[in-house]
Amino acid sequence: LIREISIDIEMELMSVSSYGNSTQSSGRVKIEKDVGIDLTGRNVIIVEDIVDTGNTLFNLRKLLSARGASDVKICCLLDKPSRRTADIKPDYVCFEIPDEFVIGYGLDYAEKYRNLDCVGVIKSSAVMGSSSK
Ligand code: 5GP
């Protein structure tokens, strides 16, 4: 993705999960790994693997705005709009997908399958703990 961006950028990695939901005005994110730069006045693009309910991004966008980012946009590989409960509409979407749990191409199920070279719907037998995929 960043090879396609022709202006100067800085890239940082964040790891977050959501505590609450978008109906909580104080929606909080649990930050497992934070960015190391001051975001004041910066234009930020959050690059996310998949947007599901949107709760995590709703809370993260609020947090980054509160830190002084002048603009926060959202880019995702996959979007499941039918699952949305938070007021989130990604600005850049590669693929819209139906309400299925998908794995591969970086996406995991219990930390497995990230290394698959395609995106697929996980079989229920794999979810149930069977060794077959
Ligand atoms: P949200 O806050 O939008 O409900 O959750 C977004 C996060 O849930 C994603 O970043 C991802 O970690 C996880 N997630 C949601 N749907 C899927 C899915 O179909 N497959 C995988 N592997 N993770 C998902």
Side-chain angles (χ1 to χ4, degrees), residues 72-92:
V72 181
K73 290 205 171 0
I74 293 165
C75 169
C76 64
L77 175 65
L78 303 172
D79 186 16
K80 287 198 263 188
S82 62
R83 292 261 309 159
R84 201 76 88 252
T85 56
D87 182 17
I88 281 288
K89 189 172 186 327
D91 299 278
Y92 310 101

Side-chain angles (χ1 to χ4, degrees), residues 61-76:
R61 187 175 63 181
K62 199 156 46 171
L63 175 77
L64 300 186
S65 296
R67 287 181 177 182
S70 50
D71 187 43
V72 181
K73 290 205 171 0
I74 293 165
C75 169
C76 64

Side-chain angles (χ1 to χ4, degrees), residues 48-56 80 100-102 107-108:
E48 176 69 303
D49 50 6
I50 183 164
V51 184
D52 187 31
T53 65
N55 288 334
T56 310
K80 287 198 263 188
E100 300 275 10
F101 193 86
V102 290
L107 290 154
D108 73 307

Side-chain angles (χ1 to χ4, degrees), residues 7-50:
I7 58 172
D8 285 342
I9 58 158
E10 286 179 59
M11 193 180 96
E12 292 269 333
L13 300 177
M14 268 191 110
S15 177
V16 301
S17 55
S18 192
Y19 281 114
N21 59 56
S22 60
T23 59
Q24 295 175 317
S25 56
S26 66
R28 295 166 303 154
V29 277
K30 180 179 173 197
I31 301 175
E32 278 130 25
K33 182 183 184 318
D34 206 346
V35 294
I37 56 174
D38 181 5
L39 297 179
T40 309
R42 306 295 293 261
N43 294 314
V44 176
I45 302 179
I46 303 171
V47 179
E48 176 69 303
D49 50 6
I50 183 164

